[in-house]
């Protein structure tokens, strides 16, 4: 079963709009992520679970789910510092 990331993101928004906590969303989505038929997730189930765990641990709103996914990808690929350096260099050139 293939589950595009956007479907998981829409579930998170549905949970947010229905006043679910990040912890409740994590528990609800864990069933999808752990189901052997959902190996077709376009995102690693670990990334999705890590993002939700981050939201729970930091007590951040579910509305930041997409931002955390992007952050985790950057950290996983070690590109965050590169983006920050390039951004900083661009700002210095403009000055």
């Amino acid at each position: 079963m293939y589950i595009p990331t956007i479907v998981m993101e829409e579930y998170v928004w549905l949970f947010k709009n229905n006043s679910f906590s990040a912890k409740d969303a994590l528990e609800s989505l864990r069933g999808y992520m752990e189901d052997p038929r959902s190996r077709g997730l376009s995102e690693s189930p670990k990334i999705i679970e890590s993002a939700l765990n981050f939201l729970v641990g930091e007590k951040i709103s579910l509305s930041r789910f997409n931002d955390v996914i992007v952050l985790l990808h950057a950290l996983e690929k070690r590109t965050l510092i590169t983006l920050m350096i390039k951004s900083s260099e661009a700002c210095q050139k403009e000055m």
Side-chain angles (χ1 to χ4, degrees):
M1 163 172 59
Y2 174 75
I3 304 172
T5 303
I6 190 69
V7 172
M8 299 299 266
E9 291 170 359
E10 290 299 322
Y11 273 129
V12 169
W13 275 103
L14 173 76
F15 296 148
K16 179 197 174 298
N17 290 335
N18 286 289
S19 302
F20 278 57
S21 69
K23 185 177 181 180
D24 292 337
L26 172 62
E27 291 303 316
S28 296
L29 291 176
R30 188 171 276 144
Y32 285 106
M33 294 183 293
E34 292 176 351
D35 189 313
R37 296 172 295 168
S38 68
R39 292 182 190 220
L41 280 168
S42 60
E43 297 289 346
S44 160
K46 286 202 172 281
I47 290 281
I48 293 170
E49 186 169 6
S50 294
L52 289 166
N53 279 325
F54 184 85
L55 294 174
V56 170
E58 298 297 320
K59 298 180 176 132
I60 298 173
S61 168
L62 285 172
S63 63
R64 309 308 292 183
F65 178 72
N66 295 354
D67 298 331
V68 175
I69 292 282
V70 171
L71 174 65
L72 290 174
H73 275 294
L75 291 171
E76 182 181 72
K77 295 180 186 335
R78 300 181 186 262
T79 56
L80 183 61
I81 194 161
T82 304
L83 292 173
M84 293 172 68
I85 290 169
K86 286 182 181 179
S87 177
S88 176
E89 288 171 355
C91 287
Q92 287 177 358
K93 286 180 184 177
E94 290 178 12
M95 296 177 118

